[in-house]
Amino acid sequence: MLDKLKAVENRYDELCFKSEQSDFYSDPKKAAKLLREKNDLEPIIEAFRAYRQAETDMADAEELMSDPEMKELCQETYAAAKAAKEELYEKLQLLLLPKDPNDEKSVIVEIRGGVGGEESALFAHSLFRMYSMYAGRRNWSIELLNYNETELGGVKEADFIVNGRGAYSRLKYESGVHRVQRVPETESGGRVHTSTATVAVLPEMEEVDVQINPADIEMQVYRASGAGGQHVNKTSSAVRLIHKPSGIVVACQEERSQLQNREKCMRMLASKLYEIEQERILSENDGLRRSQVGTGMRNERIRTNNLPQGRVTDHRVGLTLYKIDAIMDGDIDEIINALATADQAEKLKNAK
């Protein structure tokens, strides 16, 4: 590991030298890329230099222990430096783990009502509200792509972009089947019903990131509408794209112009094609699949929300929290942090 850290330090020093040259910003795109790399390496270098300083402090304290008057103080210094070194070693192991190249990207989130009819649609709406509130907490913005309501206020499907640096690094842990257990208002006997909704989280891709042959796409236009056929537009501004080789269908009706809706559809399609390719790679590498704590398949049950008990349980890490109201109001960092920690631990185990 130390050899790898020395190589990282050499690269960091090289980037520092380049950034100080007078012609560094002559190519703005290249400069921005190099500065991002430098910033990414900075936490590793800070920890590595602190690690070496701890080693030096240990050696200095050990050398002075022969002096009876200094022995007690040096033992304390040695113990503190040794503890710092061990902690920094663990930190460096985590910092050197390969990063998901998509972590800094914005995301496309798709929510679909599942088992449970209108109850599942109402739960899907609750999930959309939860993610919207979570985005607000982190100063991210929501951009609607496709939103189909039911007459009772539920959501058949909601597709939206969460715009914000690092959105994928947090929300990727939300992919899968979410389950809700509650007593519907229409249930006279007070029986608890179980409903589900599926969530898919995709890193937002541009057309340039994924090769798409225009000849493979069939475009359909239609009039956007709201719940129960209300709010019908007079022009056919909504767009549906069908990718013929894969059978993928994407739609967008939230923008006023056909051109804007088509542009958003293309971003959705690029992200979906990227997801298919990633799933193919994962299916060919079972070890890699097992190490992906957060990127669950769409049919994998990941979480249960039990309203009568005020309980939320994430089945992947066995975490149960009794604060369902706060969680449904967007306070999901505790769950995400637990999943991220488990993900890192699994990757670290596989790296050894």
Side-chain angles (χ1 to χ4, degrees):
M1 187 179 83
L2 293 178
D3 288 341
K4 189 173 183 179
L5 285 165
K6 287 172 185 174
V8 171
E9 187 175 38
N10 289 338
R11 176 58 178 166
Y12 179 78
D13 290 340
E14 180 188 348
L15 291 168
C16 288
F17 175 77
K18 286 183 176 180
S19 67
E20 293 167 358
Q21 303 309 301
S22 58
D23 62 345
F24 180 71
Y25 290 98
S26 58
D27 185 340
K29 285 187 178 179
K30 184 180 178 182
K33 183 179 179 182
L34 293 176
L35 286 174
R36 277 197 301 272
E37 184 184 356
K38 176 176 171 286
N39 291 337
D40 287 343
L41 295 180
E42 211 157 74
I44 301 174
I45 299 307
E46 287 177 0
F48 182 40
R49 289 174 179 171
Y51 175 87
R52 286 193 303 203
Q53 183 60 52
E55 281 188 322
T56 301
D57 292 345
M58 285 174 64
D60 291 347
E62 195 170 22
E63 190 177 336
L64 292 170
M65 277 185 198
S66 56
D67 185 340
E69 295 182 3
M70 299 286 289
K71 186 174 182 180
E72 187 176 345
L73 178 62
C74 288
Q75 283 176 333
E76 291 177 4
T77 302
Y78 182 89
K82 185 173 184 289
K85 180 187 171 184
E86 290 171 355
E87 186 178 327
L88 286 162
Y89 185 84
E90 290 181 9
K91 183 178 181 180
L92 284 165
Q93 283 184 304
L94 290 174
L95 287 170
L96 286 174
L97 285 174
K99 287 190 175 181
D100 188 328
N102 297 314
D103 271 353
E104 293 301 301
K105 291 182 180 289
S106 296
V107 298
I108 293 176
V109 181
E110 300 178 332
I111 302 174
R112 299 287 184 273
V115 176
E118 186 61 38
E119 273 297 301
S120 71
L122 290 169
F123 180 45
H125 175 269
S126 297
L127 289 174
F128 172 71
R129 177 181 175 273
M130 180 182 78
Y131 294 129
S132 298
M133 294 183 77
Y134 181 64
R137 286 169 179 259
R138 301 188 75 89
N139 295 317
W140 297 336
S141 64
I142 296 287
E143 188 179 345
L144 272 180
L145 298 169
N146 197 30
Y147 190 84
N148 290 330
E149 297 176 283
T150 65
E151 292 183 357
L152 296 180
V155 173
K156 293 178 182 176
E157 54 186 25
D159 303 330
F160 55 98
I161 299 173
V162 180
N163 289 303
R165 186 175 179 184
Y168 185 70
S169 70
R170 305 293 292 172
L171 290 174
K172 64 184 177 183
Y173 298 106
E174 294 301 297
S175 281
V177 177
H178 295 242
R179 186 170 67 165
V180 65
Q181 295 172 325
R182 61 183 171 192
V183 179
E185 292 182 10
T186 55
E187 175 55 58
S188 57
R191 289 187 302 116
V192 175
H193 285 228
T194 298
S195 307
T196 64
T198 61
V199 176
V201 180
L202 317 175
E204 186 189 14
M205 295 290 166
E206 301 290 341
E207 289 180 61
V208 294
D209 298 322
V210 180
Q211 288 188 347
I212 303 175
N213 185 349
D216 290 337
I217 298 172
E218 178 186 335
M219 176 172 153
Q220 298 175 351
V221 295
Y222 59 100
R223 293 181 180 179
S225 63
Q230 299 173 23
H231 316 298
V232 177
N233 286 352
K234 293 181 180 179
T235 59
S236 298
S237 60
V239 171
R240 183 184 296 112
L241 296 183
I242 302 169
H243 185 251
K244 289 179 279 189
S246 64
I248 291 173
V249 179
V250 293
C252 183
Q253 62 175 15
E254 297 304 318
E255 298 295 339
R256 290 183 178 275
S257 81
Q258 200 178 99
L259 185 64
Q260 289 173 312
N261 281 324
R262 187 186 185 283
E263 181 187 342
K264 286 187 175 181
C265 277
M266 288 300 293
R267 286 152 68 187
M268 292 172 72
L269 179 58
S271 296
K272 282 176 174 286
L273 289 172
Y274 175 83
E275 180 194 34
I276 288 175
E277 178 61 16
Q278 291 307 298
E279 286 298 340
R280 184 189 65 79
I281 294 169
L282 288 172
S283 66
E284 292 175 359
N285 188 331
D286 289 340
L288 181 60
R289 186 75 193 90
R290 285 193 298 272
S291 74
Q292 303 268 320
V293 172
T295 51
M297 300 289 284
R298 295 190 192 202
N299 60 355
E300 178 187 344
R301 191 190 72 186
I302 63 168
R303 193 173 301 152
T304 295
N305 301 267
N306 186 299
L307 270 72
Q309 298 176 15
R311 168 177 60 84
V312 175
T313 298
D314 194 287
H315 305 292
R316 293 163 293 180
V317 288
L319 174 67
T320 295
L321 300 173
Y322 288 89
K323 55 173 192 177
I324 194 167
D325 290 340
I327 287 169
M328 297 312 292
D329 283 343
D331 184 11
I332 58 175
D333 269 327
E334 189 172 352
I335 298 173
I336 290 174
N337 290 341
L339 288 161
T341 300
D343 195 17
Q344 285 184 327
E346 189 67 31
K347 287 175 181 173
L348 192 58
K349 185 174 73 175
N350 284 310
K352 290 180 179 178

